[in-house]
Amino acid sequence: MPEVLVCKDGEIAEGGVRLIKVGREEIGVIRHSNKYYAYRNVCPHQGGPACEGLRMPQVVDRIGEGGILLGQTFDEDDMHIVCPWHGYEFHLADGCHVIDRNLRLKRYEVVQRGGEIFIAV
Ligand code: FES
């Protein structure tokens, strides 16, 4: 599978995204916790620029005895990409929608080699 150079490792700030064009596709390369993720910048809902949205951790209910809701907290190990158009959320790790796993961002493999970041297209 051909690889496309994105940038040197470290050129994307932690928590940042770099958009690149590959043919007619726009792909967002996201850096989070020193890992890189790449997705087509098109939301499967109505085509919004999903990769340009906020990234937020999963909200987790804290349930006490008797099923009483005690509050909510965040799961920082499950970051979401939030599409800026209507707020659909996708797991950063695999691009799947948080509720409907059949709805997903198109994912690209990221390759780190020799201090550079590539995506396989
Ligand atoms: S286009 Fe992304 S949530 Fe609607």
Side-chain angles (χ1 to χ4, degrees):
M1 194 172 284
E3 294 178 355
V4 174
L5 176 65
V6 176
C7 63
K8 293 191 181 309
D9 191 11
E11 283 186 3
I12 302 173
E14 175 60 32
V17 61
R18 176 160 299 181
L19 300 174
I20 63 167
K21 277 278 206 191
V22 179
R24 292 171 32 194
E25 298 278 310
E26 186 172 66
I27 298 169
V29 181
I30 298 166
R31 179 179 173 191
H32 178 76
S33 293
N34 287 319
K35 287 184 68 177
Y36 294 90
Y37 305 86
Y39 295 103
R40 183 175 175 225
N41 193 26
V42 176
C43 178
H45 178 222
Q46 291 184 355
C51 296
E52 297 172 62
L54 293 174
R55 280 174 298 287
M56 302 277 297
Q58 168 74 45
V59 175
V60 179
D61 290 337
R62 293 176 39 240
I63 307 294
E65 264 184 55
I68 295 172
L69 179 64
L70 301 175
Q72 295 182 314
T73 187
F74 295 108
D75 178 358
E76 301 282 344
D77 293 330
D78 183 8
M79 291 300 291
H80 295 175
I81 300 168
V82 183
C83 179
W85 280 10
H86 313 100
Y88 276 35
E89 296 187 27
F90 304 89
H91 294 287
L92 177 61
D94 62 9
C96 289
H97 186 267
V98 296
I99 295 170
D100 181 357
R101 292 193 63 81
N102 292 317
L103 205 57
R104 59 180 57 202
L105 301 171
K106 182 177 179 183
R107 186 177 182 189
Y108 295 89
E109 181 187 353
V110 177
V111 178
Q112 292 184 249
R113 186 177 54 243
E116 295 178 316
I117 308 299
F118 301 85
I119 54 172
V121 294

